[in-house]
Amino acid sequence: MGYRAGVVGAAGFAGIELVRLLSRHPEFDLAAATSDALAGTPIAKAYPAFTGVTDLAFSTHEDTDFSAFDVVFLAVPHKAAMGMAPDLMAAGVTVVDLSADFRLKDPAIYEKWYAPHTAADLLAQAAFGLPELTGDELAAAAERRAAGEAVLVGCAGCYPTATSLAAAPAIRAGLVDAAAPVVADAVSGVTGAGKKATERTHYCFANENLEAYGVGTHRHTPEIEQILGLEGRLVFTPHLAPLNRGLLSTVTLPLAPGAAPTTEELVELYRDFYAASPLVSVMDAGVQPRTASVAGTCRAQVGVAVHPAGMIVATGAIDNLGKGAAGQGVQCANIVFGLPETCGLEEIANPV
Amino acid sequence: MGYRAGVVGAAGFAGIELVRLLSRHPEFDLAAATSDALAGTPIAKAYPAFTGVTDLAFSTHEDTDFSAFDVVFLAVPHKAAMGMAPDLMAAGVTVVDLSADFRLKDPAIYEKWYAPHTAADLLAQAAFGLPELTGDELAAAAERRAAGEAVLVGCAGCYPTATSLAAAPAIRAGLVDAAAPVVADAVSGVTGAGKKATERTHYCFANENLEAYGVGTHRHTPEIEQILGLEGRLVFTPHLAPLNRGLLSTVTLPLAPGAAPTTEELVELYRDFYAASPLVSVMDAGVQPRTASVAGTCRAQVGVAVHPAGMIVATGAIDNLGKGAAGQGVQCANIVFGLPETCGLEEIANPV
Amino acid sequence: MGYRAGVVGAAGFAGIELVRLLSRHPEFDLAAATSDALAGTPIAKAYPAFTGVTDLAFSTHEDTDFSAFDVVFLAVPHKAAMGMAPDLMAAGVTVVDLSADFRLKDPAIYEKWYAPHTAADLLAQAAFGLPELTGDELAAAAERRAAGEAVLVGCAGCYPTATSLAAAPAIRAGLVDAAAPVVADAVSGVTGAGKKATERTHYCFANENLEAYGVGTHRHTPEIEQILGLEGRLVFTPHLAPLNRGLLSTVTLPLAPGAAPTTEELVELYRDFYAASPLVSVMDAGVQPRTASVAGTCRAQVGVAVHPAGMIVATGAIDNLGKGAAGQGVQCANIVFGLPETCGLEEIANPV
Amino acid sequence: MGYRAGVVGAAGFAGIELVRLLSRHPEFDLAAATSDALAGTPIAKAYPAFTGVTDLAFSTHEDTDFSAFDVVFLAVPHKAAMGMAPDLMAAGVTVVDLSADFRLKDPAIYEKWYAPHTAADLLAQAAFGLPELTGDELAAAAERRAAGEAVLVGCAGCYPTATSLAAAPAIRAGLVDAAAPVVADAVSGVTGAGKKATERTHYCFANENLEAYGVGTHRHTPEIEQILGLEGRLVFTPHLAPLNRGLLSTVTLPLAPGAAPTTEELVELYRDFYAASPLVSVMDAGVQPRTASVAGTCRAQVGVAVHPAGMIVATGAIDNLGKGAAGQGVQCANIVFGLPETCGLEEIANPV
């Protein structure tokens, strides 16, 4: 008998990907998938990929008794998550939240970018869920959970994951100028724009098109700055491209005065950095990551190169719903429950 | 210790999909993947989806000693397979062939559509690999293998699989006019056109385009006719559409004189027919299969409806590389080796 | 000074394509584009392809005085068109309707497939707009218009256009069995599903997917049957594929008893049939039409082949918004106004 | 009678787009289209978009007598162009070159990035073809041509065009720090990778994928630096995304000390800058360019915003084969021949 797991907001894109991952997870048993909008509808009717796979239907959040659950994954919008997490934790349920509500350590920053925080007392104990970079927080959470506590994980967003995996090794090694701006131009597939049918997500407007959006205003900015220690120095521009799943972040980092690594040395440094991280691969010098090579998985590929203008150009490729959302949630849950980090996440991307 | 498995022609699209499936299969151990063109190249270099997954490199067919293998999957062009199978079987190795070489029972038909057959003596003992429709042949092969024989499976092609799964229940129930023509219009994703870089597979020519091809001349015609008993009565027209993986066959079958089923009765009939087939789902009346819901998997979805003009319109959706090639090969191997049919094939398609 | 032209329902996909075509048409002056939903919005804001091209804004239908217009194109849903056409014609305005309201000659058939007809008296005088097949009706309308009458054109739908262009020459030549069923399997790009943002038109559900829909129930069935004289004998199945613009219809026609043409003879016959039709090209024997080669234009490509099972397989490729809707509307208007048929329609598809 | 025009290298993607544009150009008469590889093949056979449009066939360069031509467009690889231009000019033919051979003013820089220059004497007289930024050079060339001289235009590349249109107004206004690095991350559709069928251009590898390439090494770097006066300060990273046509460059420019414009002021500044440039549109504040809105045309859209980190983020969207290649060539030819700049370039992108 595995751990009893639930997904709240299961009909959204991150939610249904959690359903997919948990349906085949050897240690978590998916026992409830809530969607107020689709309550009563069989999952397989809303998402026919589940035809012949599961008879489970969506339930309402209200009618679902989570008290006997070990873990609940929240795949709801920001603000909704901070309304749900306290009750769940009070009932002894570990919460893995994919929303933005428990990512930012400083409630003032949360309020500036989102709204007043109604569960700010939980921020201090929330572990930030980006295992390759916040292993200590997750290890501490795992210990607390092993001791019987319900714990809370606020998983990193999609753009922050790809951007930080690409930039962190160089920054943490002191190779990056601590005063100069860092530029991250990132491109996402359309699943990143969510399930809601809008003009923006209409096939005929998204197809055969490239565009930037949210220039200077995207809410992932403070999150990336927090992870990388870049307060006020990040110029982050997201873009939309015509594919379902995939996110590529290209980060341009000015070398610190005196730093003059070769590309090969950087690759070496990055490989050491991720030596204990089975889901992150650092590409050979001269080879760039491909999002297609990680689509449908929780894997990440990172590339790094020295640019003659005195910069490091680092690229990170993930599946925005995999390592950028649901997969990362499962990875964090694995760690918190003392399972192997990759448990249930061994899928290999379609080679073609 | 599992069964020792090899893939010949592993660098092609069906071959690399076999590598993907066997890399995570709990009972088959992938011990060799040959490609004369890429021999010596790490698989992960040619197909970066394998980065961080495997260190295996392609080997040449010549230099690979298969004598201690339990099973070899052939993902080579027709004519090449019939040159390899006899030696492998003589060495006691079970052969699962994805090419056309061992599908047609009658060497004269093979010669008419392909070339003279150089291993015609093996045709009689080759089991046809489309488990839902040829379970008896595969069961017999499994018995022979259990008794120590090397056996040979000639797996169904992609178009024949989708078309036959859609049409067989109606035909076998005697609902279809045995004298009138049957029309199958099928659409495939571009992986069906193979790995070779040509003008036809160039992104910019395949993208945003629909076209028919091989009108009246496609080699899958005799194979479908053989499976369904339609000698000379099949009008099969394949088409190419802009997607990677996915194949949809729409089959229009004239009702037999006197037959007047409702769509609901047909759905019932089809569900009975596939009751023991975990990888085939029959959609509710009024619901049509979606290729996206089976992409990356070995599953199939079938829809069926009565048309007021006195016809049955049946549709079958598969992943041409999954249930249409590599997945089906693994499914057949599972059966022949006495494993559960779906072993290693439990993947769920990306819901979105 | 050209003819004064307006587009009603200009914010939908067919409507905005009319706006595009009329914006550069040398003889029609686009003077109004109505959209009740977007009234007041500059066209370029809703459709940024018009940035720098036009300052025109959408107006409401109500507030637009069409009395001084020469021609109004209706790109509104069925039922809406038959409510607008009588008033416009009473005001002396020629109406080119892209909806289904004036296509079917028999109001009983209209009622069976759509709704009771409220302007059935206009059906007799409506010219059917598919110039290559109904040149006589359009020529008569042109004469009446030249004599000062307002005329009405009910343009053919997208599936009927591609299907009929492919099938008509063979049928009219008496080569097709007049008793046996005809199968048309057609595939459309997603613009065919309309502008409304729904789950079906969401990028992430339409992308990388193939599916049939409306099996046995699609409303273009009676229209195709009317054009081709196939009452009750047409088995028409539409499909959706992941591209913006393009529609391919593959029509399988049983040869009449005794008919035994070669493919080359059919190509010749088809070329004679379309000799005076500059927008339809018949492909060489063995060559199939490509929708990409007509995308963005009012052109059509037709292919034809004899199938050994005693059938003709004919394929027709169009842009569903071009020759299948807006382009055809302009082509009909050209004819009715005595202009060269291709006036303003000379665009060449992107070769790649 | 128009000017006699030829296209050399007409079977490549830029070449065939020239053929498309010149086929409908009111002042240039396309009289020859060369392709050594496809000589003798009708254009419509190689590119079926021309079916029913032209009977012209490709000819060899060798066998084509250009001496009576007014203008020849070179759409050949670098190095080939500099071998052809001198003879053409000696014969009195104006040359519009789309290759890199006549873009860089300094032959040493050409040699560093490409090869030794064999026609370096022509560099001084070559006009740089990016009309919105080098109008003076083109005006001077037009005067020389009017005086009877053959002139030479070296048209800007695709990435340089989008990047420079986005960045130039801010830089030329002195708003950009003259010492700090400028980052340009640009994304191109697959036509940018050329017609050659390779693994990189294979549909199944390019589809559903994002990747960077040529990090720190792309040959468009010195060209952009030359246009914008950024010697050694440009960090340019190109990317590939799954679409046919479209190129988006996102340029991050550090504000000069003391400069503190608002986004609205920048938009105003940019609109003034491009007031006389009919093919460039500056988007409203808060609105971003879309490549789909310029696809198939010679138009460009530019967006600009102030970023709170003290930067300008400017974006430029073009069709890489239109304004980024063939369209720009025709625009330059229009100017040099004293025609309206937009002659034959009035196409409006598909609104959807």
Side-chain angles (χ1 to χ4, degrees):
Chain A
M1 272 299 293
Y3 296 107
R4 196 170 172 81
V7 176
V8 175
F13 284 174
I16 198 66
E17 180 69 4
L18 279 165
V19 171
R20 185 175 81 98
L21 294 174
L22 295 172
S23 294
R24 292 276 172 250
H25 196 285
E27 303 292 342
F28 294 115
D29 295 335
L30 180 67
T34 79
S35 164
D36 288 351
L38 293 183
T41 304
I43 291 174
K45 195 165 174 190
Y47 285 99
F50 292 93
T51 306
V53 172
T54 179
D55 293 329
L56 197 65
F58 294 110
S59 55
T60 63
H61 185 66
E62 188 77 20
D63 296 342
T64 310
D65 178 6
F66 287 112
S67 58
F69 279 60
D70 295 291
V71 60
V72 166
F73 295 84
L74 300 182
V76 294
H78 68 91
K79 294 203 279 188
M82 67 189 176
M84 293 170 173
D87 286 354
L88 287 164
M89 294 182 67
V93 182
T94 281
V95 172
V96 177
D97 178 27
L98 300 191
S99 89
D101 283 357
F102 299 104
R103 294 173 187 163
L104 296 171
K105 303 295 186 192
D106 181 346
I109 294 181
Y110 183 88
E111 179 162 354
K112 180 184 162 196
W113 288 84
Y114 294 92
H117 206 294
T118 61
D121 54 309
L122 290 177
L123 290 177
Q125 61 177 282
F128 189 86
L130 207 177
E132 291 78 8
L133 302 182
T134 62
D136 291 355
E137 294 187 36
L138 290 163
E143 276 181 37
R144 294 205 312 277
R145 208 213 55 87
E149 261 186 66
V151 300
L152 171 61
V153 181
C155 293
C158 53
Y159 287 121
T161 296
T163 304
S164 303
L165 290 175
I171 291 176
R172 296 198 179 172
L175 292 173
V176 176
D177 188 331
V182 166
V183 175
D185 285 316
V187 189
S188 173
V190 186
T191 49
K195 189 198 181 184
K196 196 170 172 191
T198 64
E199 191 156 302
R200 193 145 168 274
T201 60
H202 193 298
Y203 183 86
C204 302
F205 291 106
N207 188 34
E208 294 292 295
N209 186 45
L210 298 167
E211 64 183 277
Y213 68 96
V215 179
T217 64
H218 197 282
R219 285 163 161 171
H220 282 170
T221 302
E223 187 181 332
I224 302 171
E225 292 188 340
Q226 173 181 289
I227 303 170
L228 297 176
L230 289 176
E231 284 70 21
R233 288 193 291 129
L234 178 71
V235 187
F236 168 59
T237 305
H239 303 71
L240 211 58
L243 66 165
N244 271 15
R245 289 163 160 240
L247 190 158
L248 181 71
S249 188
T250 298
V251 197
T252 304
L253 306 133
L255 281 166
T262 64
T263 292
E264 286 71 19
E265 288 166 353
L266 283 177
V267 168
E268 198 64 27
L269 173 85
Y270 271 59
R271 287 192 168 152
D272 287 349
F273 189 94
Y274 290 120
S277 297
L279 294 173
V280 178
S281 295
V282 178
M283 310 308 285
D284 289 344
V287 178
Q288 289 295 321
R290 304 174 77 250
T291 63
S293 298
V294 295
T297 79
C298 191
R299 299 178 197 278
Q301 292 188 344
V302 173
V304 66
V306 174
H307 188 283
M311 315 290 267
I312 294 170
V313 177
T315 49
I318 61 170
D319 179 331
N320 51 302
L321 294 183
K323 180 64 179 162
Q328 187 145 268
V330 172
Q331 185 187 3
C332 290
N334 285 340
I335 293 169
V336 165
F337 281 80
L339 305 170
E341 187 174 344
T342 58
C343 188
L345 300 173
E346 297 89 350
E347 274 182 303
I348 305 168
N350 288 341
V352 78
Chain B
M1 272 301 291
Y3 297 106
R4 196 170 173 81
V7 176
V8 175
F13 284 174
I16 199 66
E17 180 70 3
L18 279 164
V19 170
R20 186 176 81 97
L21 294 174
L22 295 173
S23 293
R24 292 276 171 251
H25 196 286
E27 303 292 342
F28 294 115
D29 296 335
L30 180 67
T34 78
S35 164
D36 288 350
L38 294 183
T41 303
I43 291 173
K45 196 165 174 190
Y47 286 99
F50 292 92
T51 306
V53 172
T54 180
D55 293 328
L56 196 67
F58 293 109
S59 55
T60 62
H61 185 66
E62 187 77 20
D63 297 341
T64 308
D65 177 6
F66 288 112
S67 60
F69 279 61
D70 295 292
V71 60
V72 166
F73 295 85
L74 300 181
V76 293
H78 68 91
K79 293 202 278 188
M82 65 190 178
M84 293 170 172
D87 286 352
L88 287 164
M89 294 182 68
V93 182
T94 282
V95 172
V96 177
D97 178 27
L98 301 191
S99 89
D101 283 357
F102 298 103
R103 294 174 187 162
L104 297 171
K105 303 294 186 193
D106 181 347
I109 294 182
Y110 183 88
E111 179 161 354
K112 179 184 164 197
W113 288 84
Y114 294 93
H117 207 295
T118 61
D121 53 309
L122 289 177
L123 289 177
Q125 62 178 283
F128 190 85
L130 208 179
E132 291 79 7
L133 302 182
T134 60
D136 291 355
E137 294 186 35
L138 290 162
E143 276 181 39
R144 294 204 313 276
R145 208 212 55 86
E149 261 185 65
V151 300
L152 171 61
V153 181
C155 293
C158 52
Y159 287 120
T161 296
T163 303
S164 302
L165 289 175
I171 291 176
R172 296 201 180 170
L175 292 172
V176 176
D177 187 331
V182 166
V183 176
D185 284 317
V187 188
S188 173
V190 186
T191 48
K195 190 198 181 187
K196 196 169 174 194
T198 63
E199 190 155 303
R200 192 143 169 273
T201 61
H202 193 297
Y203 183 86
C204 302
F205 290 106
N207 188 34
E208 294 291 296
N209 186 45
L210 297 167
E211 63 182 278
Y213 68 97
V215 179
T217 63
H218 197 283
R219 285 163 162 172
H220 281 171
T221 302
E223 187 181 333
I224 302 171
E225 291 187 340
Q226 173 181 290
I227 303 170
L228 297 175
L230 290 175
E231 284 71 19
R233 287 193 290 130
L234 177 71
V235 187
F236 168 60
T237 306
H239 303 72
L240 210 59
L243 66 165
N244 271 14
R245 287 163 162 243
L247 189 158
L248 182 71
S249 187
T250 298
V251 196
T252 304
L253 305 133
L255 281 166
T262 64
T263 292
E264 287 70 20
E265 287 166 353
L266 283 177
V267 168
E268 198 64 28
L269 173 85
Y270 271 59
R271 285 191 170 152
D272 287 349
F273 190 94
Y274 290 120
S277 296
L279 293 173
V280 177
S281 295
V282 179
M283 311 308 285
D284 288 344
V287 178
Q288 287 294 321
R290 303 174 77 248
T291 63
S293 298
V294 295
T297 79
C298 191
R299 300 179 196 278
Q301 292 189 344
V302 172
V304 66
V306 173
H307 189 283
M311 314 291 266
I312 294 170
V313 178
T315 49
I318 61 170
D319 179 332
N320 51 302
L321 294 182
K323 180 63 179 163
Q328 187 145 269
V330 172
Q331 184 185 5
C332 291
N334 285 339
I335 293 169
V336 165
F337 281 81
L339 304 171
E341 188 174 343
T342 59
C343 188
L345 300 173
E346 298 88 352
E347 274 183 303
I348 305 168
N350 287 342
V352 77
Chain C
M1 271 299 292
Y3 296 107
R4 197 171 171 80
V7 176
V8 174
F13 283 173
I16 198 67
E17 180 70 2
L18 279 165
V19 171
R20 185 175 81 98
L21 294 174
L22 296 172
S23 293
R24 291 276 171 251
H25 196 285
E27 303 292 342
F28 293 115
D29 295 336
L30 180 67
T34 79
S35 163
D36 288 350
L38 293 183
T41 303
I43 291 174
K45 195 165 174 189
Y47 286 97
F50 292 92
T51 306
V53 172
T54 180
D55 293 329
L56 197 67
F58 294 110
S59 55
T60 62
H61 185 67
E62 187 77 21
D63 296 343
T64 308
D65 177 6
F66 288 111
S67 58
F69 278 61
D70 295 292
V71 60
V72 166
F73 295 85
L74 300 181
V76 293
H78 67 91
K79 292 204 278 189
M82 65 189 176
M84 293 170 173
D87 286 353
L88 287 164
M89 293 181 68
V93 182
T94 281
V95 172
V96 177
D97 178 27
L98 301 190
S99 88
D101 283 356
F102 298 103
R103 294 174 188 161
L104 297 170
K105 303 295 187 194
D106 181 347
I109 294 181
Y110 183 88
E111 180 161 356
K112 179 184 164 197
W113 288 85
Y114 295 92
H117 206 295
T118 62
D121 53 309
L122 290 177
L123 290 177
Q125 62 178 281
F128 189 84
L130 208 179
E132 291 79 8
L133 303 183
T134 60
D136 291 354
E137 294 186 35
L138 291 163
E143 277 181 37
R144 293 204 312 277
R145 208 212 55 85
E149 261 185 67
V151 300
L152 171 61
V153 180
C155 293
C158 52
Y159 287 120
T161 296
T163 304
S164 302
L165 289 176
I171 291 176
R172 296 200 180 171
L175 292 173
V176 176
D177 188 332
V182 166
V183 176
D185 285 316
V187 189
S188 173
V190 185
T191 48
K195 191 198 179 186
K196 196 170 175 193
T198 64
E199 190 156 302
R200 190 143 171 275
T201 60
H202 192 299
Y203 183 87
C204 302
F205 290 107
N207 188 34
E208 294 292 294
N209 185 46
L210 297 167
E211 63 182 278
Y213 68 96
V215 179
T217 63
H218 197 283
R219 285 163 161 172
H220 282 170
T221 303
E223 187 182 333
I224 302 170
E225 292 187 341
Q226 173 181 289
I227 303 170
L228 297 175
L230 290 176
E231 285 70 21
R233 288 194 290 130
L234 178 70
V235 187
F236 168 60
T237 306
H239 303 71
L240 211 59
L243 67 165
N244 271 14
R245 288 163 161 243
L247 191 158
L248 181 70
S249 187
T250 298
V251 196
T252 304
L253 306 133
L255 281 167
T262 64
T263 292
E264 287 69 20
E265 287 167 352
L266 283 177
V267 168
E268 198 64 28
L269 173 84
Y270 272 58
R271 287 191 169 152
D272 287 348
F273 190 93
Y274 290 121
S277 297
L279 293 172
V280 177
S281 295
V282 178
M283 310 308 286
D284 288 343
V287 177
Q288 288 294 321
R290 303 175 77 249
T291 64
S293 298
V294 295
T297 79
C298 190
R299 300 179 197 277
Q301 291 188 344
V302 172
V304 65
V306 174
H307 189 283
M311 314 291 267
I312 293 170
V313 178
T315 50
I318 61 170
D319 178 330
N320 51 302
L321 294 184
K323 181 64 179 163
Q328 186 144 269
V330 172
Q331 185 186 3
C332 291
N334 285 339
I335 293 169
V336 164
F337 281 80
L339 304 170
E341 189 174 342
T342 59
C343 189
L345 300 173
E346 298 87 352
E347 276 181 303
I348 305 168
N350 287 342
V352 76
Chain D
M1 272 299 292
Y3 296 107
R4 195 171 173 80
V7 176
V8 175
F13 283 175
I16 198 66
E17 179 70 3
L18 279 165
V19 171
R20 185 176 80 98
L21 295 174
L22 296 173
S23 294
R24 292 276 171 250
H25 196 286
E27 303 292 342
F28 293 115
D29 296 334
L30 179 66
T34 78
S35 164
D36 287 350
L38 294 183
T41 303
I43 292 174
K45 193 163 175 191
Y47 286 99
F50 291 92
T51 306
V53 172
T54 180
D55 292 329
L56 197 66
F58 294 110
S59 55
T60 62
H61 185 66
E62 188 77 20
D63 296 342
T64 309
D65 177 6
F66 288 111
S67 58
F69 279 61
D70 296 291
V71 59
V72 165
F73 295 85
L74 301 182
V76 293
H78 67 91
K79 294 203 279 186
M82 65 189 177
M84 293 169 173
D87 286 352
L88 287 164
M89 292 181 69
V93 182
T94 282
V95 173
V96 178
D97 178 27
L98 301 190
S99 88
D101 283 355
F102 298 103
R103 295 174 188 162
L104 297 171
K105 303 294 186 193
D106 181 347
I109 295 181
Y110 183 88
E111 178 160 357
K112 180 183 164 198
W113 288 85
Y114 294 92
H117 206 295
T118 61
D121 53 308
L122 289 177
L123 289 177
Q125 62 177 284
F128 190 85
L130 207 179
E132 291 78 8
L133 302 182
T134 61
D136 290 355
E137 294 186 36
L138 291 162
E143 277 181 39
R144 293 203 312 276
R145 207 211 57 84
E149 262 184 66
V151 299
L152 170 61
V153 181
C155 293
C158 52
Y159 287 121
T161 295
T163 303
S164 303
L165 290 176
I171 291 176
R172 297 200 180 171
L175 292 172
V176 177
D177 187 332
V182 166
V183 175
D185 285 316
V187 189
S188 174
V190 185
T191 47
K195 190 198 181 185
K196 196 171 174 193
T198 64
E199 190 156 303
R200 192 144 169 274
T201 60
H202 193 297
Y203 184 87
C204 301
F205 290 105
N207 188 33
E208 294 292 295
N209 185 45
L210 297 167
E211 63 181 280
Y213 67 97
V215 180
T217 63
H218 196 282
R219 286 163 161 172
H220 282 171
T221 302
E223 187 181 333
I224 303 171
E225 290 187 341
Q226 172 181 289
I227 302 170
L228 297 175
L230 291 175
E231 284 71 19
R233 289 193 289 130
L234 178 71
V235 187
F236 167 59
T237 306
H239 303 71
L240 211 59
L243 65 166
N244 271 15
R245 288 164 161 241
L247 189 158
L248 182 70
S249 187
T250 298
V251 195
T252 304
L253 304 134
L255 281 166
T262 63
T263 292
E264 287 70 20
E265 289 166 353
L266 283 177
V267 168
E268 198 65 27
L269 174 84
Y270 271 59
R271 286 190 171 155
D272 287 349
F273 190 94
Y274 290 120
S277 296
L279 293 172
V280 177
S281 296
V282 179
M283 310 308 285
D284 289 343
V287 178
Q288 289 294 322
R290 304 174 78 249
T291 63
S293 298
V294 295
T297 79
C298 190
R299 299 177 197 279
Q301 292 188 344
V302 172
V304 66
V306 174
H307 189 283
M311 314 291 265
I312 293 169
V313 177
T315 49
I318 61 170
D319 179 330
N320 51 302
L321 293 184
K323 181 64 179 162
Q328 187 145 266
V330 173
Q331 185 186 3
C332 290
N334 284 339
I335 294 170
V336 165
F337 280 81
L339 304 171
E341 189 173 342
T342 59
C343 188
L345 301 173
E346 298 89 350
E347 275 183 302
I348 305 168
N350 287 341
V352 76

